[in-house]
Amino acid sequence: MQAFLSIYGMADWILRGVSMVAQTVAVGGALYLPFMLAPLEGPASGRVGLWRFCRRVLVSSALVLCLGQALTAVALTAFLMGSTGADLATAMSADAVIFDLLSACAALALASVARRASGATAALVLLSVVLVGAHAGVTHAASRSQPAAALLAAETLHLFALAAWIGGVPYFIASLRMLEDRGQRAAVAARFSLVSLAAVALLVATGVFMSVPYVGTPEGLYQTTYGLLLGAKAVLLALLLCMGAVNLHAVRRQRRDGCAALRSLPVLAEAEVGVGVIAILCAVALASSPLAADTRAARPDASEISKRFELAWPRLASPAPPPLAADGLRGPSPASAAGGDVFEDETARSPFDIAWSEAHHHYAALFVVATGLVALVSRSGRLGRLGRRWPLLFLALAAYLFIVADEDAWPLGPTGFFESLANPRIAQHKLMIALVAALALVEWRAQAKKFRAAWPSFIFPLTIAGAAALLLTHYGHSGDKQEVLVEISHTPVALLGVIAAAARWLELRLPSPALGRVAGLVWPVAFIAAGAVLLLYRESA
C-alpha cells in the first residue's frame, strides 16, 4: 500500500489524462455524427463506411472512458483508505469517487446507444451532457464557493467546446478521406470550420472568465505553477489557432481551386489532434494543481525569476560527489542530515545537489543543440551519409542521462534500480530516458532506410510529443517556490518540443513539397532553440 501511495499522483494523472482524451473524442463523436454527417445529401458512396467507422471510434472511446473512470475511482478509493484510514464505505462516499463512477456508467451507456442505434440524437446528446456534467463536478469550479453556478456553467461550456472542436477532428479527418463525393467533402469541411470557429470563441471566452477568479492577480500568472500551466495552455491554443487558420484558408480556397486545396487538410488536422491532446493533458495537470489565487506559499519574485534567465557560461564542471553518510545518503543534504529521505524532500537541496543538476542539464543541452545542428546541416547534403546518423547523438544522450540523472540511484548511488522507481520523480526520469533511447534507435534505422514500411518514421515526432507532454505537465503537485522556478525553465523547452514534433510530422506527411521543406527546417531550429534555453538552466540564485 505504501508503494501505491507514493506513485498515486502519477497513476492518477495518467488515468485522468487517458479519460479526458477519451471523453473529448466520445463527446465529439456524439455531436459530430448527428450534426455533421446526418444532414449530408446526395450520393451515398462512402457514407455508409464512414458512418460505420465513426460509430466504431465513438464506441471505442466511450469504452476507454468507462474503464479509465472506473480505475480512477478504484485508485482514489484505495488512496483515501490508505492515507486517511477510512473504511471502504466512507472512501466510496467521497464526491470525486461518486462523480467518477457516474461518468463510467454514462460512458458505458453512451457506447451502448452509439452501437445499437443510428438516429438516437437525443440520447447521444443527453448522455454527453451527463458525462461533461460529471467531469465538471470534480473540477475547481465545483470547489469554489463564489460564484459557483457561473463557474460551473462556464466549465461545462468549456468542455463542450473542446469536444466539438478537438474531439470532432478525428471524425473530420475520416470524412475527408472516406467521402467519395467532392461536394460532400467540401460541405463537411465548410460546416466543421464554422463549428470550430464558434468553439474557439467559446473556449477563449469561458477560459478568460474562469481564469480571473482562479489566478487572482497578474503576478499569479508567473509566480505559481497554476499560472505557468495556464500560460502553457494558452500557447498551445495559439498554436492550434495557427493550424486552424491554415485549415480555414484551405476551405475557402477550395471554392476557387476545387478540392485540390483540401489535400493538405487531413494532415494539418492530424497535427492539430496531436497538439490538442497535449493541451488536454495540460488541462488535466491544471485540474490537480492548487489555484494561483489560493496559493499562499512563498512565491518567487521578479528578481529571482530574471536570475534564472541571466546569460552565463554553462556549468560544465561536474562536482565531485561527497562521501556517503552512514545512512547511505549524500552527506551535506539538509534532508539527510535530519534523517529524512532526499527522494521525499525535493526542497532540501544541498549545494552539491544544485551543482550536479545544473552541470548535467547543461551537458544534456549540448547534446540537444548538436543534434539540431547536425540535422539542419545534413539537409544540405554536405555531411553525406554521416549526416543521417544524427540520431546516434540522442542514443549517447540517453546513455549519459541514465548514468547521471539521479545521483543517489543506481549506478552511481546506493539505491537499487527497481527500488528507485518507487519515487515518481525518478520513475519519470527513467521513462523519459527510455523514450529518448527508443527514439534514437528507431530514427537511426529510419534515416538509414532500414524499414520497408513508412510508419517507423512517425515514431520520432510521436516520441518527441510524448516527452514534451511529460515535461510540460508533471508539475503542479507541491506548488512551492522551487517547483515554480524549475517549471519556468522547463516550460519553454517543452513548448519547443511540441513545435518540433508537429513540424516533423508535417514534413513527413504533407503532400506539398514546398510546405514540407519549410516544416523540415522548423524542427531542427526548434531543437537548437530548446537546447539554448536549457543551457540557461539555473537552480542556484
Side-chain angles (χ1 to χ4, degrees), residues 1 62 68 127 134 151 160 171 195 207 220 238 252 293 300 302 380 387 400 409 425 446 460 475 491 515:
M1 176 58 78
L127 288 168
L151 286 172
F160 263 116
Y171 305 95
V195 170
R252 290 180 174 173
S380 67
Y400 173 77
R425 175 176 62 84
F460 175 82
Y475 300 101
T491 297
L515 290 176

Side-chain angles (χ1 to χ4, degrees), residues 225 474-488:
T225 54
H474 76 291
Y475 300 101
H477 305 298
S478 67
D480 61 37
K481 181 192 288 189
Q482 183 60 31
E483 184 183 62
V484 172
L485 290 170
V486 173
E487 186 180 358
I488 285 174

Side-chain angles (χ1 to χ4, degrees), residues 270-271 273-275 277-278 281 432 435-436 438-439 442-443 454-470 497-498 500-506 508-509 527:
E270 291 168 3
V273 168
V275 177
V277 167
I278 295 176
L281 295 178
M432 295 281 282
L435 287 172
V436 172
L439 164 71
V442 175
E443 185 63 17
W455 66 263
S457 299
F458 302 128
I459 292 178
F460 175 82
L462 291 174
T463 308
I464 293 295
L470 274 175
V498 175
R504 176 60 172 163
W505 183 272
L506 293 176
L508 293 170
R509 298 277 295 149
F527 261 62

Side-chain angles (χ1 to χ4, degrees), residues 309 471-472 486-499 526 529-530 533:
F309 293 101
L471 190 60
L472 191 63
V486 173
E487 186 180 358
I488 285 174
S489 302
H490 283 177
T491 297
V493 176
L495 292 174
L496 286 166
V498 175
I499 293 172
V533 173

Side-chain angles (χ1 to χ4, degrees), residues 158-179:
H158 196 77
L159 293 170
F160 263 116
L162 177 69
W165 178 23
I166 301 299
V169 172
Y171 305 95
F172 176 55
I173 295 173
S175 301
L176 292 178
R177 296 194 184 284
M178 299 179 71
L179 283 174

Side-chain angles (χ1 to χ4, degrees), residues 517-528:
R517 280 194 293 273
V518 172
L521 292 174
V522 169
W523 72 261
V525 171
F527 261 62
I528 296 169

Side-chain angles (χ1 to χ4, degrees), residues 18 251 313 331 334 447 526 528:
V18 170
V251 170
W313 286 107
Q447 290 284 329
I528 296 169

